[in-house]
Amino acid sequence: MSHARAVRRALIALAAAGALAISVGCTAGPAPSASVTASAPSANWDELGPIVYAQGKDTSGTAKAQVAEWNKANPSEQVELRELSESTDEQRDAMVERAKNKSGEFAVMAIDVVWTTEFAANGWLQELPSDRFPTAGYLKAAVDSGTYFDKLYAMPSTSDGALLYYRKDLLDKAGLQPPTTWAELQTACDKVLPSQDGMSCYGGQFDKYEGLTSNVAEAISSAGGSILNAQGQASVNSPEALAGLSWIVDGFTSGRIPAEAKTWQEEQSRAAFQSGKLLFLRNWPYMYELAGKDDRVAGRFAVAPLPGKDGPGVSTLGGQNLGISAFARNKGTALKFVNWMQTKEQQQRRLQDASLAPVLEELYDEPALQAKIPYLKTLGDSIRTAQPRPKAARYSTDVSRAIQEEAYAAIDGTKDPQTALGDLQLRLEAVVK
């Protein structure tokens, strides 16, 4: 081993020392020890009164309308909507800051599915009794995302599977179908783009944040690789993972992905697509309704499953859960509000008005909804084949951060893809161990 490689290995091991053990997929396993899960105050589910509901920016206005409806029907149990940043990382930071201070300011929180384990393990979420929070008929993966050591800590609210948005008008004009492989996507771009001044081929979310983790995980899975295997062991230093990461890196090198996409999160990439800068875009279903209201692309775009290396690709499982702060007052109102937000009527409302995927299985099979929402079947297929991210008590601070840092180093040319994956393997091995 070279001296430089030895130094890198030592530094990586030190950086990951003291990190967590990871469980992947199901939540079966031994009960957590006191050192794993912090104690939380017991809940008084009969305490009623005003509460604050915190979530990311309400770009569709649907949450405002829902809260207004609740407040009209419940004058003595008013809910204040607190909109946080568009950035998922900044949303988490705001919630974590209050939790560490044992503040119950945010009584109900819309948390990313990958935060549930971290928040539960630290005692920041109130355990939800199954008899008060029914989940019958919910997507299994959605329920699992709100569960920690077989106990429900967050109510599944929305699910998510990534979609490939594409300019249907331009593909139709060129006599092309939506691509199912990366090669077909490149062929479509080679045929369409010469006549489209200023348009790039493909975009996604490649800023150094959680969205980059999702995009990289999808590329690796879509090439047949994995970040962690079924046993929870690091498996990212493989030819398949290299093919996935290299597809992204080569995209920037070749110009298939515009250089400015290195700073894109969801909203920046959506703006680029709607302004005519992209032929293809990977994004979440929330964008469908918003793009459909934009005269520049309304009626000119459609969605398809993500393409992969040799066939259809694999989405990262996304979505949000509703958690109740362990430190909040008026948990009885929080209980009532969470369950009301999860009624079939409200889930259908979010689907129709904000393109937010429901967690009730039956909504994907309703003919009336399928007739109104052209992408519903594609979305259901994406979610049912999606791969979850690892469950980790310090997912954001250790696992996802390592993926972001190493992947971004490859994207900006600081490291070649093989070196980045080798270093990521070492970091994850130290975390798992």
Side-chain angles (χ1 to χ4, degrees):
M1 181 186 300
S2 69
H3 175 70
R5 185 65 171 172
V7 171
R8 184 186 295 122
R9 182 184 290 271
L11 290 174
I12 289 169
L14 284 172
L20 63 157
I22 298 174
S23 64
V24 182
C26 67
T27 57
S33 65
S35 63
V36 175
T37 304
S39 60
S42 59
N44 178 1
W45 297 115
D46 296 320
E47 186 178 16
L48 307 177
I51 62 170
V52 171
Y53 164 52
Q55 67 157 58
K57 186 171 178 60
D58 180 23
T59 55
S60 69
T62 304
K64 294 184 185 74
Q66 288 179 301
V67 169
E69 180 181 338
W70 166 273
N71 287 337
K72 183 177 181 180
N74 298 274
S76 63
E77 298 176 77
Q78 294 288 285
V79 172
E80 176 190 342
L81 173 64
R82 191 75 56 82
E83 291 185 68
L84 305 178
S85 168
E86 291 178 354
S87 164
T88 53
D89 288 349
E90 292 177 7
Q91 293 168 31
R92 175 187 170 277
D93 289 345
M95 294 175 185
V96 169
E97 178 186 4
R98 286 160 177 78
K100 286 183 174 179
N101 291 327
K102 297 187 176 181
S103 166
E105 177 186 356
F106 298 163
V108 176
M109 299 173 286
I111 59 177
D112 192 287
V113 291
V114 297
W115 303 342
T116 304
T117 293
E118 174 191 5
F119 282 32
N122 282 287
W124 300 336
L125 292 179
Q126 186 67 55
E127 181 186 339
L128 307 180
S130 58
D131 62 331
R132 307 293 292 270
F133 294 87
T135 58
Y138 279 47
L139 292 165
K140 181 181 182 300
V143 176
D144 182 67
S145 73
T147 304
Y148 179 62
F149 283 98
D150 298 321
K151 295 180 180 179
L152 188 69
Y153 281 88
M155 192 71 172
S157 176
T158 63
S159 192
D160 235 347
L163 300 171
L164 181 70
Y165 290 79
Y166 66 95
R167 286 290 300 271
K168 186 177 186 301
D169 57 336
L170 299 181
L171 261 62
D172 286 349
K173 184 177 180 180
L176 298 170
Q177 295 296 314
T180 60
T181 66
W182 295 337
E184 290 176 1
L185 183 144
Q186 186 63 60
T187 297
C189 290
D190 291 343
K191 188 170 184 178
V192 171
L193 293 185
S195 62
Q196 301 299 316
D197 186 39
M199 178 176 278
S200 295
C201 176
Y202 178 83
Q205 296 74 48
F206 302 110
D207 195 7
K208 194 189 296 184
Y209 80 119
E210 183 62 30
L212 178 59
T213 298
S214 294
N215 278 251
V216 170
E218 287 168 351
I220 290 174
S221 295
S222 296
S226 62
I227 294 173
L228 300 177
N229 63 22
Q231 291 72 45
Q233 300 166 330
S235 57
V236 75
N237 195 11
S238 70
E240 293 81 7
L242 179 60
L245 180 58
S246 294
W247 183 72
I248 294 176
V249 173
D250 292 346
F252 282 100
T253 302
S254 68
R256 180 192 332 117
I257 304 174
E260 62 190 290
K262 294 177 183 179
T263 64
W264 284 355
Q265 297 188 11
E266 282 83 0
E267 282 296 276
Q268 291 91 341
S269 64
R270 176 173 75 85
F273 182 83
Q274 291 176 205
S275 64
K277 293 182 178 179
L278 295 171
L279 182 59
F280 297 103
L281 172 65
R282 175 264 180 223
N283 210 336
W284 302 103
Y286 88 97
M287 173 181 154
Y288 194 97
E289 185 70 20
L290 296 171
K293 296 176 180 177
D294 189 328
D295 291 340
R296 296 172 296 178
V297 293
R300 300 176 184 175
F301 74 93
V303 295
L306 296 179
K309 182 176 180 291
D310 301 311
V314 179
S315 169
T316 293
L317 181 68
Q320 291 191 323
N321 298 326
L322 295 181
I324 296 176
S325 169
F327 313 107
R329 299 287 304 274
N330 302 327
K331 288 189 174 74
T333 295
L335 179 156
K336 293 168 62 178
F337 178 70
V338 168
N339 280 330
W340 179 82
M341 286 284 280
Q342 293 316 108
T343 59
K344 179 180 178 181
E345 177 186 13
Q346 295 304 324
Q347 289 196 47
Q348 183 169 321
R349 180 180 191 173
R350 287 193 292 273
L351 172 62
Q352 292 180 289
D353 296 349
S355 299
L356 294 174
V359 290
L360 278 173
E361 282 271 12
E362 63 179 287
L363 288 178
Y364 290 94
D365 300 322
E366 289 196 3
L369 279 178
Q370 291 178 346
K372 291 180 181 178
I373 304 171
Y375 65 90
L376 188 59
K377 184 180 184 305
T378 301
L379 174 58
D381 292 343
S382 175
I383 292 172
R384 291 185 177 106
T385 61
Q387 291 293 319
R389 284 162 282 180
K391 286 192 172 186
R394 290 171 62 190
Y395 170 85
S396 298
T397 56
D398 289 295
V399 177
S400 185
R401 181 173 295 177
I403 296 168
Q404 294 168 33
E405 290 174 353
E406 299 300 339
Y408 200 85
I411 288 171
D412 71 6
T414 305
K415 297 181 182 181
D416 63 84
Q418 183 65 77
T419 300
L421 290 178
D423 289 349
L424 179 57
Q425 176 78 16
L426 292 176
R427 293 177 70 169
L428 294 178
E429 284 176 354
V431 168
V432 172
K433 182 167 63 176

